[in-house]
């Protein structure tokens, strides 16, 4: 990245990983994309996941492969991955969990 504290970003230096060619691109803004690997390693072997690592849920719910365990947000969403959809499915998971606890007489 090129620039300084006063002028901000002024450009970037890139390297083509196949040809090795270096380039300098002038720009005044930068958005770093870090990929879409969900942070779900903690649940590997415990919850069903797709090959990328997204937790599988029953469509239209937040139910995972384990009864009483619910997933929401980016961890279970390979399609939208947005703040508002994460908040919405978070609300769904809270309701699903509350209903599961009530139906299993857990207080
Ligand atoms: C650069 C960037 C720009 C984005 N721009 C937009 C945008 O403009 N509009 C939009 O709608 N969405 C945007 N998004 C997507 C949005 O940020 C996500 O969809 C949303 O934050 C997902 O919410 P989440 O609660 O599922 O996960 P997160 O917000 O990632 O929250 C997960 C939380 O769990 C914590 N955590 C992880 N592991 C553990 C653990 N083992 N124990 C305890 N806590 C743990 C993390 O620290 C984190 O606080 C952007 C995302 C990125 C990366």
């Amino acid at each position: 990245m090129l620039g300084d504290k006063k002028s901000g970003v002024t450009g970037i230096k890139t390297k083509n990983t196949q040809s090795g060619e270096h380039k300098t691109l002038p720009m005044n803004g930068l958005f770093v994309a870090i990929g879409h690997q969900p942070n779900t390693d903690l649940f590997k072997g415990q919850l069903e996941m797709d090959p990328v690592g997204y937790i599988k849920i029953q469509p239209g719910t937040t139910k995972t492969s384990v009864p009483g365990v619910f997933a929401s947000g980016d961890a279970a969403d390979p399609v939208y991955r947005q703040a508002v959809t994460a908040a919405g499915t978070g609300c769904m998971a809270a309701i699903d969990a509350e209903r599961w606890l009530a139906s299993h007489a857990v207080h």
Side-chain angles (χ1 to χ4, degrees), residues 31-35 39 42 72-75 80-87 89:
F31 187 94
V32 180
I34 56 172
N39 186 7
L42 182 68
S72 64
D74 284 14
Y80 303 105
R81 297 179 296 227
Q82 296 295 300
V84 68
T85 48
T89 58

Side-chain angles (χ1 to χ4, degrees), residues 44-60:
K44 266 191 185 149
Q46 299 179 72
L47 300 176
E48 270 183 35
M49 294 178 189
D50 73 8
V52 178
Y54 289 99
I55 298 168
K56 284 189 179 175
I57 49 173
Q58 290 178 28

